[in-house]
Amino acid sequence: KVLELSDRFLPMRHEGMWLMKFYAPWCGHCKKLEPIWKHVAQSLTDYPVRVGRIDCTRFSAVASEFSIRGFPTIMFLKGDETYVYEGDRSREDIVAFAHRVMGPPVKDISSEEALDRAKDKSDHFFVYVGSKDARLYEEFVMNAKHFQRDEFMYASTQEFMSKYVSLGQEPAIYVYKDNKFYLYNNNNEDLERGERSIDDQKDTDTDKAIEEQPITIENSSISNWIIRERFPMFAKVTRGKFSQFMATKKLLAIAVLEENKLEKLTPEMEEFKAMLHRLVEQKQDKYRQYFQFGWTGLPDLANSIAMENLEIPSLLVINTTSFHHHLPQDDAGQLTPAAVEIFLDSILAGEAPSYGGSSWMVRLYRSYYEMKTSLADMWRGNPVLTSVLLGLPLGFLSLIFYSVCCGDIMDAEEEEEEGLLHEKND
């Protein structure tokens, strides 16, 4: 049950755990979220968390207390801790967010049942294996607190995890995704970041310096690795998570599809999506280090990146570092697995044509394209309202120009008439 709360909630906010929705009755996004919010409450009935909502137009003191700037705003309150939800507004994502923040940042896995529960909650998570006295565990906990809103983080023992992974070192960190455990390799991270020196003595000095300096999120190599490995190999790309996909610093390959109002794909698009997914599974050892694959049912998202209306279905690859993008030369109907592989290999080799970027000319054109697209969407949605919104400013401008121009003409005519009268009098 969703609790309808008032400003009397403020003295109670520190009592227990609350999943709150701050809304306004006139907000269209709030109305769309309403049935989803009821399902969220039903999904959390067996957990010690209360689900509520507050009308911020009636209780402005509550909105001020929590610094609400937009609607709807979703927050999880746990004692003095406040977590703001910034993901997609779906039941599954909101419930997963509540599961992550209601417990400690790092949860223990010590039995098969606990591991199965972790897999049921999410298809990807991170696991620390080894002694909790190690420096690596301290860094892992710090990252777990930082990423708690978005990621599931666990700790286990070498004895238990040896059943599932080949432990070559302890302590160690693994990411579970695509039904496999992948090892975090600190040496590889250092190589990628260019922090290793060829000289062994310099390596030793650098390692000692790193050990002596305090660990922060900014200098944590675990943090960079989590950002790169936080998604399955083939994931759904949405507006709410798009910035996280861009932060991976991998090449982002997206199958551009279009979902209907029921979030379903046509058979043709399902076939294209399945083809790309099979290729990713078959070639994951080849591409996993360089590419993050996914699909989107929102062609407008891909069109705004490409700054053109892409053919559907199609394939778009974004360089998340330079913001250039690549498009295959073949038509969508000719994109076989072999053609896609050739296209991806040409990108890795630096031979594929690139478009876009982050220059000021590109940014200027992108702003023009988005403004044009927004106006077209407004016209399709409500042509009468769009005509009024555009017509009123144009009408005012026309009146101003008319008054200025006509004023000059009238002044000129008056001067001519006065001149004629003077001539007659003379």
Side-chain angles (χ1 to χ4, degrees):
K1 180 182 178 180
V2 177
L3 303 175
E4 187 70 44
L5 301 169
S6 66
D7 51 5
R8 289 184 292 179
F9 162 73
L10 290 177
M12 305 166 52
R13 58 168 292 190
H14 298 289
E15 299 176 7
M17 295 185 291
W18 298 84
L19 181 62
M20 299 297 302
K21 180 184 77 168
F22 300 90
Y23 74 100
W26 46 261
C27 170
H29 294 293
C30 300
K31 294 176 182 177
K32 186 177 180 181
L33 179 60
E34 188 58 31
I36 298 172
W37 198 246
K38 292 178 181 178
H39 291 146
V40 169
Q42 293 172 0
S43 301
L44 295 173
T45 52
D46 296 331
Y47 295 89
V49 56
R50 286 168 284 187
V51 181
R53 66 174 193 168
I54 291 181
D55 182 355
C56 291
T57 61
R58 291 179 58 198
F59 306 106
S60 56
V62 178
S64 300
E65 175 70 18
F66 291 98
S67 302
I68 304 301
R69 298 288 181 266
F71 304 109
T73 295
I74 298 172
M75 288 186 181
F76 192 97
L77 310 177
K78 185 172 64 173
D80 294 329
E81 296 177 321
T82 301
Y83 302 90
V84 181
Y85 179 70
E86 298 178 350
D88 295 314
R89 298 187 190 115
S90 65
R91 182 191 67 84
E92 295 80 7
D93 288 335
I94 297 173
V95 170
F97 163 73
H99 283 308
R100 285 191 292 269
V101 298
M102 71 171 60
V106 179
K107 304 170 182 66
D108 288 328
I109 292 180
S110 56
S111 65
E112 292 185 7
E113 292 77 11
L115 181 59
D116 291 338
R117 284 195 299 270
K119 293 178 179 179
D120 290 338
K121 287 182 179 179
S122 178
D123 58 1
H124 64 283
F125 52 84
F126 297 88
V127 185
Y128 171 88
V129 181
S131 171
K132 294 184 179 180
D133 296 327
R135 188 171 186 270
L136 187 63
Y137 182 71
E138 177 186 347
E139 187 175 355
F140 182 78
V141 171
M142 179 194 64
N143 279 275
K145 292 177 180 178
H146 180 75
F147 291 105
Q148 189 173 7
R149 291 185 308 174
D150 304 305
E151 309 300 335
F152 285 99
M153 314 286 272
Y154 298 93
S156 187
T157 62
Q158 184 179 23
E159 180 182 1
F160 176 74
M161 287 302 297
S162 61
K163 306 173 187 176
Y164 306 96
V165 295
S166 299
L167 292 169
Q169 63 185 53
E170 184 191 359
I173 302 174
Y174 294 86
V175 59
Y176 175 81
K177 63 178 186 178
D178 303 315
N179 299 316
K180 293 182 180 179
F181 284 97
Y182 295 95
L183 175 67
Y184 160 67
N185 191 325
N186 188 33
N187 291 332
N188 286 345
E189 286 294 310
D190 288 338
L191 286 167
E192 289 177 8
R193 293 166 56 195
E195 295 177 353
R196 284 286 179 190
S197 170
I198 298 175
D199 185 85
D200 291 339
Q201 182 60 43
K202 289 182 180 180
D203 278 353
T204 304
D205 294 340
T206 302
D207 290 341
K208 289 180 179 178
I210 291 173
E211 287 178 2
E212 292 173 358
Q213 69 181 9
I215 304 172
T216 64
I217 288 295
E218 288 73 22
N219 64 23
S220 170
S221 59
I222 295 177
S223 176
N224 296 328
W225 179 72
I226 289 173
I227 290 172
R228 287 178 60 86
E229 300 295 335
R230 68 196 312 180
F231 294 107
M233 189 69 172
F234 192 78
K236 185 175 182 179
V237 180
T238 61
R239 292 188 184 277
K241 295 180 179 178
F242 184 70
S243 60
Q244 294 181 354
F245 278 99
M246 293 293 288
T248 62
K249 301 304 179 185
K250 293 183 178 182
L251 292 162
L252 180 58
I254 307 174
V256 183
L257 313 171
E258 186 171 18
E259 294 178 312
N260 58 23
K261 293 182 179 179
L262 299 177
E263 298 185 352
K264 302 293 183 182
L265 298 171
T266 64
E268 178 191 4
M269 294 186 192
E270 284 284 6
E271 183 180 351
F272 185 86
K273 174 187 169 186
M275 180 271 292
L276 186 59
H277 195 178
R278 285 193 300 270
L279 176 66
V280 170
E281 289 180 334
Q282 293 168 3
K283 304 292 182 179
Q284 60 177 314
D285 292 338
K286 179 180 180 181
Y287 294 128
R288 195 179 76 84
Q289 183 180 352
Y290 308 103
F291 284 93
Q292 171 63 59
F293 292 91
W295 67 278
T296 182
L298 303 169
D300 290 344
L301 178 62
N303 292 341
S304 65
I305 297 166
M307 295 176 289
E308 62 176 286
N309 291 326
L310 297 175
E311 183 182 1
I312 300 174
S314 62
L315 182 62
L316 172 69
V317 179
I318 308 167
N319 186 321
T320 58
T321 303
S322 67
F323 303 104
H324 288 89
H325 63 272
H326 308 273
L327 295 168
Q329 302 300 310
D330 300 325
D331 295 333
Q334 300 176 339
L335 280 179
T336 62
V340 172
E341 187 174 359
I342 292 172
F343 172 57
L344 298 177
D345 289 344
S346 68
I347 294 174
L348 290 178
E351 299 170 353
S354 62
Y355 311 93
S358 58
S359 66
W360 69 269
M361 284 290 292
V362 173
R363 285 186 231 172
L364 187 64
Y365 183 77
R366 191 182 303 279
S367 300
Y368 160 74
Y369 176 83
E370 290 178 353
M371 182 180 66
K372 181 181 71 172
T373 304
S374 298
L375 289 174
D377 291 340
M378 288 173 60
W379 178 263
R380 284 194 295 268
N382 195 328
V384 176
L385 179 61
T386 306
S387 300
V388 171
L389 291 174
L390 294 178
L392 285 176
L394 291 175
F396 282 120
L397 287 172
S398 301
L399 287 173
I400 292 170
F401 286 128
Y402 177 79
S403 62
V404 171
C405 296
C406 289
D408 293 340
I409 294 171
M410 294 297 293
D411 291 341
E413 289 178 351
E414 288 177 1
E415 289 176 0
E416 288 179 2
E417 289 176 359
E418 289 178 1
L420 290 172
L421 286 173
H422 286 305
E423 288 177 3
K424 287 180 180 180
N425 291 333
D426 293 340

